[in-house]
Amino acid sequence: MPATTYAVSGMSCGHCKTTLTRVIGELDGVRGVEVDLGSGRVTVTSAGEPDDAALAEAVDEAGYELTGRV
């Protein structure tokens, strides 16, 4: 399963990590989510090529900003 890492701004605490893990994990095809607050990165493991637009929308709706792939 491919893993894709994204830069996400606005994360600062455990609540942020929990929220992003939940909202990204609910997307179709997502098998795992790892949030690294220190680096501002989120790694998504998926069944296939991730849908960047859907991921960005979910992150934005949660109150954060996906700034692109790393």
Side-chain angles (χ1 to χ4, degrees):
M1 286 189 280
T4 308
T5 302
Y6 298 90
V8 177
S9 63
M11 305 184 301
S12 61
C13 64
H15 175 72
C16 300
K17 182 174 183 174
T18 300
T19 299
L20 286 171
T21 299
R22 180 179 50 79
V23 299
I24 294 170
E26 292 173 350
L27 296 173
D28 288 338
V30 172
R31 300 293 182 247
V33 180
E34 290 185 35
V35 178
D36 185 336
L37 296 173
S39 68
R41 295 182 178 180
V42 176
T43 301
V44 178
T45 304
S46 55
E49 186 65 24
D51 182 344
D52 290 348
L55 207 136
E57 183 178 343
V59 169
D60 289 348
E61 286 181 7
Y64 308 95
E65 182 182 1
L66 189 145
T67 56
R69 288 189 184 203
V70 178

